[in-house]
Amino acid sequence: ISLFSLLVFLRYQIYYDYPLETYLEYPIIIAQDAILLYCVMHFSGKAKRALFYAVVFLGVWYMLTLQKWIIDLSMNLCTFISAASKLVQLQHLWQTEDSGQASALTWGMGAYTCATRIITTVMTTNDLAVLIRFIVMLILNIWVTATILHYRKTRKTD
């Protein structure tokens, strides 16, 4: 799902002809994910499926820009999916009342990244859909970070 979200976000930025600096990291992240998925499939003996997924990937890449409403809807759905995954994380934290292996530092870095992206988006494109995405993600990342810190178990030292 995260690979699809990255794909949509990259295609959205290219479709609206935004400056390369605003989305340069996404092709690198997508390439890393694609290589990782291929390695997993190769070493699990399912390398032939990788061709199928590559065809699906290219087909979706093309179909996203057939109509303007498709890319816009896709961008909004990716925001919804990303928010839903963070809400599921929050729900799990609330139910277990234990931060477990969740890292406050990682979630905090995610919040910092969103805050930075809000500033760069305002300065470069001022795209409302992108701003809404990063504002929602910032709020949820801060919320998850605070919840992790709240439920963190303190270790007693003797």
Side-chain angles (χ1 to χ4, degrees), residues 10-79:
L10 175 64
R11 193 64 169 157
Y12 183 88
Q13 299 280 335
I14 292 170
Y15 181 81
Y16 284 106
D17 200 27
Y18 289 151
L20 181 63
E21 300 82 27
T22 62
Y23 62 88
L24 190 58
E25 73 269 16
Y26 292 103
I28 296 166
I29 295 170
I30 290 172
Q32 288 174 339
D33 284 353
I35 291 167
L36 177 65
L37 286 173
Y38 176 75
C39 288
V40 167
M41 289 182 175
H42 174 74
F43 291 112
S44 66
K46 299 176 183 175
K48 291 183 181 181
R49 276 195 191 166
L51 178 62
F52 169 75
Y53 289 117
V55 170
V56 169
F57 180 86
L58 293 172
V60 169
W61 180 262
Y62 171 74
M63 288 179 5
L64 282 172
T65 56
L66 288 176
Q67 298 284 327
K68 181 184 179 309
W69 68 268
I70 295 173
I71 191 72
D72 292 338
L73 178 64
S74 299
M75 181 65 169
N76 293 326
L77 286 175
C78 284
T79 299

Side-chain angles (χ1 to χ4, degrees), residues 9 12-13 16 18 71-79 121 125-137:
F9 197 75
Y12 183 88
Q13 299 280 335
Y16 284 106
Y18 289 151
I71 191 72
D72 292 338
L73 178 64
S74 299
M75 181 65 169
N76 293 326
L77 286 175
C78 284
T79 299
T121 301
T125 62
N126 214 16
D127 185 308
L128 186 60
V130 175
L131 282 172
I132 289 171
R133 175 181 177 78
F134 287 123
I135 290 169
V136 168
M137 296 304 110

